[in-house]
Amino acid sequence: MQHKFITFIGGGNMAQAIIFGLLQQGYPAHKLMVCDPNPSRRDIFAARGIMVSDNNIEAAIRAEVVLLAVKPQMMEAVCLPLQAVDFSHKLLISIAAAISLQRLHDLLPSAANIVRVMPNTPALVSAGMSGLFAAPSLAQDLKDFAEALLAAVGKTCWLAQESDMHKITAASGSSPAYFFAFMEAMQLMLMDSGIDENMARLLVQQSALGAAKMAEQNPQISLSLLRENVTSKGGTTAAALAVFNRCGLDDMVKQAMAACIARSQEME
Ligand code: NAD
């Protein structure tokens, strides 16, 4: 991919996940800059040879691409001073949940090229999933760059309509936490039954990884069939799945994802 100069405004968890993923993929450190008021956050990036600053305006001026990676509730306070910067020839990428393209245009009126992205933290291990959305008028080369940037740290998909961003938040932005919660519950049960913590973790995480890899490597087999293939009638797996059914796993997942979507809509 082309190595444009990218300034990250906000060097928190998500910026770190993307930046470390990019470095791992060979993106040159001298083409990256991180702006964050917190010195301990800046140190993390400086230690990897990345330029750091606490001056958002100066850092944005020198960038070809500005990636906004601050919390949604910080966006207005961060963008108002950035109105001093001419964004008309820059690509602006926002990874903030629930900040619409219209809101970004209102906050930075000179920004003509904007891509909204909903990434997730597995970008840190090059296994991210990002949903992207841009106005149809955005130039193809800028769309391609944004896609390549996120593809360097995982898989990508373009959304047909901006409102789908809420669903992407529930599907991938927030979902690593659902899987961690599930794994945590399994680990706890094993520990309660006398298995040592490390062994319990190994058993759970390797099984989760194996299941995800089987799903990835067999796209022609439905998830239902993958499940059925490890479920003999009247056997041990069937006994466990019957409890999930009885306790309403499907409904619980639906409700949790709906709550995530509703919260995302509320925050917009
Ligand atoms: P975070 O709190 O870890 O990082 C935010 C960073 O912004 C902090 O390091 C903070 O010091 C910095 N900051 C605060 N004020 C600033 C300012 N004026 N100028 C520059 N930097 C400033 O948050 P995060 O989890 O990395 O989330 C960042 C964005 O990514 C959010 O908008 C969130 O919606 C989005 N996002 C996060 C995830 C996730 O899994 N964490 C997933 C998808 C999208």
Side-chain angles (χ1 to χ4, degrees):
M1 80 186 275
Q2 217 187 341
H3 295 147
K4 292 181 190 272
F5 191 99
I6 312 172
T7 287
F8 287 74
I9 306 284
N13 292 321
M14 201 58 236
Q16 185 177 344
I18 296 174
I19 291 170
F20 283 16
L22 284 172
L23 291 177
Q24 212 180 346
Q25 297 300 313
Y27 206 93
H30 70 270
K31 290 279 192 173
L32 300 171
M33 184 161 189
V34 176
C35 240
D36 198 297
N38 182 340
S40 63
R41 293 307 304 172
R42 293 201 298 274
D43 288 349
I44 291 170
F45 299 101
R48 301 290 293 265
I50 293 168
M51 273 170 286
V52 292
S53 167
D54 60 357
N55 187 324
N56 289 350
I57 296 179
E58 275 177 25
I61 285 173
R62 64 184 299 182
E64 295 169 274
V65 179
V66 174
L67 194 148
L68 296 171
V70 293
K71 289 282 188 200
Q73 55 272 28
M74 288 298 300
M75 198 53 99
E76 185 168 337
V78 166
C79 286
L80 291 182
L82 284 176
Q83 289 181 355
V85 179
D86 177 8
F87 279 91
S88 56
H89 298 293
K90 299 181 192 297
L91 173 62
L92 181 70
I93 300 177
S94 166
I95 62 167
I99 304 282
S100 67
L101 276 192
Q102 186 56 54
R103 181 90 183 108
L104 291 164
H105 274 298
D106 292 345
L107 289 170
L108 294 171
S110 72
N113 311 304
I114 310 182
V115 178
R116 260 189 86 184
V117 177
M118 175 50 59
N120 67 5
T121 48
L124 189 57
V125 290
S126 299
M129 179 70 231
S130 298
L132 294 88
F133 180 78
S137 56
L138 185 72
Q140 191 58 45
D141 63 317
L142 296 179
K143 275 190 187 166
D144 292 345
F145 180 82
E147 183 176 332
L149 184 74
L150 278 307
V153 294
K155 304 220 185 282
T156 58
C157 64
W158 282 97
L159 309 186
Q161 49 195 9
E162 190 172 12
S163 58
D164 285 347
M165 213 36 114
H166 300 298
K167 296 172 200 159
I168 296 293
T169 305
S172 55
S174 299
S175 70
Y178 318 159
F179 293 110
F180 290 135
F182 196 88
M183 289 163 71
E184 231 182 309
M186 285 180 67
Q187 185 192 29
L188 266 181
M189 189 282 170
L190 289 167
M191 285 162 61
D192 285 349
S193 71
I195 303 270
D196 145 82
E197 182 177 351
N198 290 335
M199 197 201 284
R201 177 166 170 161
L202 175 68
L203 288 163
V204 170
Q205 84 190 15
Q206 184 60 17
S207 305
L209 187 67
K213 276 197 172 163
M214 279 179 74
E216 184 186 38
Q217 289 176 16
N218 296 285
Q220 76 290 1
I221 306 181
S222 70
L223 296 176
S224 309
L225 190 54
L226 284 169
R227 173 177 50 72
E228 280 163 22
N229 287 347
V230 283
T231 314
S232 325
K233 204 162 176 246
T236 53
T237 311
L241 293 176
V243 176
F244 285 148
N245 266 338
R246 229 179 18 252
C247 295
L249 178 71
D250 285 4
D251 191 50
M252 190 173 67
V253 170
K254 253 187 218 163
Q255 283 191 47
M257 291 179 74
C260 185
I261 290 171
R263 181 69 190 122
S264 174
Q265 286 166 338
E266 221 174 71
M267 284 166 63
E268 195 168 84

